[in-house]
Structures are given as structure tokens and as C-alpha cells.
Amino acid sequence: MELSVYKIDGSESGKKVVLDERVFGIEPNDHAIYLDVKQYLGNQRQGTHKTKDRSEVAYSTKKLIRQKGSGGARHGSRKAGIYTGGGRVFGPKPRDYRTKLNKKLKQLARFSALSYKAQENAIVMVEPFTMEAPKTKEFIQILKNIKAGDRKVLFVIPENSKNIYLSSRNLPEVKVITVDEINTYTILNAYSMVMVDGVQDILSSRIK
């Protein structure tokens, strides 16, 4: 797949890049994507959820009514889950949601997500640029010039740039990451993807 590289003013630079078919042109594997996204979301969870069971709530253990002769059911404690304020039955307990996947599966999922973006023509290439100072208005204008879209945009840069990051920080629909931070979830969570020229070569060099 061949893409034109744009300048930040929206004009074509005259350069064209050919995306590596091994990264942007594979047959997407939906199950690999599912496993990788599931792992990513699970790893974000703290797992500190907790409810009190009947051994932990602060109520007396005195028997409420006699065992027989009341005409109703047997009750032994206000801590039972059927009472308001009683213990939670089978409530959540602290647990670790982290899972492990092998590197080749994660790579397959990541390349599958990139291939979907390529199939949807949702990738925009822009030539390398710098920002002298954090300017949100200037960054918004760049996005408009290159027609990145007004919905969720993933902006991928080769290496960390403080000014570019700070310029985008107040934009809820834009996420700026380095190529080292790219993952399946962030790719799929964006409607369009802007890559600074050079990112595609770094991704190709990491094929295992």
C-alpha cells in the first residue's frame, strides 16, 4: 500500500511511502485481537473491589426468633444476606485480572489492527516536524490541514516530544503516543491514525 506524505500545512511533500505488507497488509486475525484487547483491559483493572460477607458486617449474632413455632422461616442472625444491611452473598473479592500472552500472538494482534486501519484508508502520513512551544491551537490546525478527522485520532510519533504531547493533552479526541507505546487497543479505539514518517520503518524492523 502506497501513501502520500503530507506537510503540516496540508500540502503534499512529494514523497510517497510503501507500507510493509507484513505489517499493514496481513489477513486480520480477529481472535488474536480479542485476546490482546481483553488482556489490555484486564491489566488496567486494580482488582481492589470488595464487599463484606456475613462474617464482617457489624450486627449482633443473637438469634432473632425461636427456632420453631413462629410459623415462619428459621433465622439465626441479622447478618444474613436476606436482611437489609446484612452480608453480601458471593460478593466480589480482591483479585488480579492480569493475564499473559506470548509475544508472537500480541504482534499478530497489533499487525491485524494496523491492517484493518490500512483497509479502511484511515492512515495519514505526515512528515517529521517539531513544535517550538506547546500550542494547542497550532496542533488543532495541523490536524485540520492534514484532514485527520474530527473524531478519535491516534497520533503516533517516532520518539517522545514534550511540546507535541502538551499541545494535545487538552484534546479529548486526540491521543499522542510514541511508537513504543502502540498497542492493539489504542489502534482500534481510534477512527483515524496519523503516523509521522519513520514510524512505519520502526514497526517493520520489529517483526519477529
Side-chain angles (χ1 to χ4, degrees):
M1 182 178 181
E2 190 176 74
L3 292 177
S4 297
V5 179
Y6 290 92
K7 297 180 180 180
I8 57 175
D9 61 4
S11 62
E12 290 193 17
S13 66
K15 179 181 178 181
K16 293 185 181 293
V17 296
V18 178
L19 299 182
D20 193 334
E21 290 294 317
R22 298 173 299 170
V23 179
F24 297 91
I26 69 170
E27 181 66 30
N29 188 311
D30 291 340
H31 188 61
I33 290 175
Y34 161 75
L35 292 174
D36 198 17
V37 171
K38 181 181 178 182
Q39 186 211 34
Y40 176 84
L41 294 176
N43 289 354
Q44 307 308 303
R45 300 185 67 173
Q46 287 185 325
T48 54
H49 42 31
K50 172 74 168 64
T51 58
K52 292 183 178 181
D53 59 29
R54 63 184 297 165
S55 69
E56 297 170 312
V57 293
Y59 277 117
S60 170
T61 56
K62 179 182 177 182
K63 190 167 177 63
L64 301 178
I65 56 176
R66 59 183 183 172
Q67 182 78 350
K68 296 179 180 295
S70 68
R74 298 168 291 181
H75 296 291
S77 170
R78 274 291 305 275
K79 293 185 174 185
I82 63 174
Y83 290 110
T84 300
R88 176 78 179 271
V89 180
F90 302 127
K93 300 289 184 182
R95 55 166 291 194
D96 186 0
Y97 285 92
R98 289 177 295 181
T99 55
K100 292 184 178 180
L101 293 176
N102 66 58
K103 291 181 180 179
K104 287 192 175 181
L105 179 62
K106 290 177 71 66
Q107 178 178 269
L108 174 61
R110 189 162 57 252
F111 290 172
S112 295
L114 290 170
S115 296
Y116 269 128
K117 282 288 178 283
Q119 291 174 11
E120 296 164 1
N121 294 317
I123 300 177
V124 179
M125 296 295 301
V126 64
E127 67 178 10
F129 67 97
T130 58
M131 300 185 72
E132 299 300 326
K135 295 287 185 181
T136 301
K137 285 186 178 180
E138 183 179 330
F139 189 78
I140 292 175
Q141 189 59 49
I142 292 173
L143 294 176
K144 289 181 179 179
N145 291 341
I146 63 177
K147 299 179 181 178
D150 55 357
R151 302 177 78 179
K152 288 183 179 179
V153 178
L154 179 63
F155 205 101
V156 187
I157 54 181
E159 56 187 17
N160 187 45
S161 173
K162 184 178 180 180
N163 288 337
I164 294 177
Y165 170 74
L166 292 177
S167 298
S168 67
R169 187 170 57 175
N170 288 336
L171 303 175
E173 295 296 311
V174 180
K175 184 177 182 65
V176 174
I177 62 173
T178 64
V179 67
D180 293 330
E181 299 170 314
I182 198 168
N183 62 73
T184 305
Y185 178 80
T186 54
I187 296 169
L188 295 176
N189 195 40
Y191 284 94
S192 60
M193 185 175 174
V194 178
M195 293 196 307
V196 173
D197 187 19
V199 167
Q200 75 281 3
D201 297 327
I202 296 174
L203 290 172
S204 298
S205 68
R206 294 180 178 175
I207 297 176
K208 296 181 180 180

